Amino acid sequence: MAQKKKKKTADNVIAVNRRAQHDYFIEERFEAGLSLQGWEVKSLRAGKCNISEAYVTPKNGEMLLIGATISPLKNSCAFVVCDPTRTRTLLLNRREINKLIGHAQRAGYTIIPLRMYWKGSWAKLEIGLARGKQEHDKRDSIKDKQWQRDKERIMKKSFR
């Protein structure tokens, strides 16, 4: 019997940082692998991850994910000491690391995690090079989003 190909769906997404779009202008996006332990992979498969308070920082020529919480499962960590908020190493090319470090040293730029997802059997993290929004920028974004919503409603009513 022939096997069917799996379609890419929203099931691939593990965690999303929703505040990132509201608080930052995302200039560029990168895909990074994660250096994980076995219990962390099991917890990610169960969807027990939070990246809303996390950030990425360079240290000794590598990128580190700090503040991401991966809650351990009760039945998978009997003999292993689990630290839910441990610092995790991101797997990037040297060229990408140098580019991120160069931009992060500029004033106003930061590197934030946007979403964590599965790509095949590998856990990946989408990180963004971001610049902080000021209060008036946030109001403009909310106004634009509301206008798009109203425009969709108007178009929907006109085609009925």
Side-chain angles (χ1 to χ4, degrees):
M1 199 151 132
Q3 291 186 0
K4 295 179 183 177
K5 288 186 178 180
K6 286 187 179 179
K7 292 182 180 178
K8 296 196 177 198
T9 62
D11 296 337
N12 292 343
V13 177
I14 301 167
V16 178
N17 187 356
R18 296 187 190 279
R19 294 289 300 171
Q21 294 291 335
H22 184 261
D23 291 341
Y24 298 98
F25 291 114
I26 309 299
E27 302 284 331
E28 227 175 315
R29 295 171 187 262
F30 295 92
E31 179 182 73
L34 287 161
S35 178
L36 299 172
Q37 296 176 350
W39 66 269
E40 292 173 325
V41 176
K42 287 183 180 182
S43 295
L44 289 180
R45 293 226 182 264
K48 299 197 175 277
C49 180
N50 183 9
I51 59 170
S52 61
E53 297 295 322
Y55 61 96
V56 178
T57 185
K59 185 175 182 183
N60 298 332
E62 56 185 19
M63 303 303 281
L64 302 175
L65 177 65
I66 299 173
T69 305
I70 299 177
S71 303
L73 296 175
K74 292 178 181 166
N75 57 357
S76 67
C77 304
F79 302 108
V80 180
V81 177
C82 302
D83 182 16
T85 58
R86 79 175 183 90
T87 302
R88 294 164 183 92
T89 305
L90 296 181
L91 307 173
L92 290 162
N93 293 331
R94 176 60 48 198
R95 185 180 69 244
E96 292 173 332
I97 292 172
N98 291 338
K99 186 174 186 176
L100 285 169
I101 290 172
H103 284 305
Q105 289 175 347
R106 290 188 204 167
Y109 281 93
T110 186
I111 306 165
I112 55 170
L114 301 175
R115 67 187 181 109
M116 191 179 290
Y117 57 94
W118 294 107
K119 187 172 184 180
S121 61
W122 302 99
K124 299 289 183 174
L125 182 71
E126 183 179 17
I127 58 175
L129 185 64
R131 191 169 37 93
K133 285 185 182 179
Q134 294 179 352
E135 195 61 38
H136 62 86
D137 293 327
K138 292 178 187 178
R139 285 194 295 264
D140 290 342
S141 296
I142 292 169
K143 191 188 307 181
D144 291 341
K145 192 183 297 184
Q146 184 64 39
W147 168 240
Q148 291 298 327
R149 215 176 282 143
D150 291 343
K151 192 165 61 171
E152 290 293 324
R153 286 187 192 130
I154 291 169
M155 294 298 289
K156 188 175 181 180
K157 286 182 181 178
S158 67
F159 283 118
R160 283 188 179 181

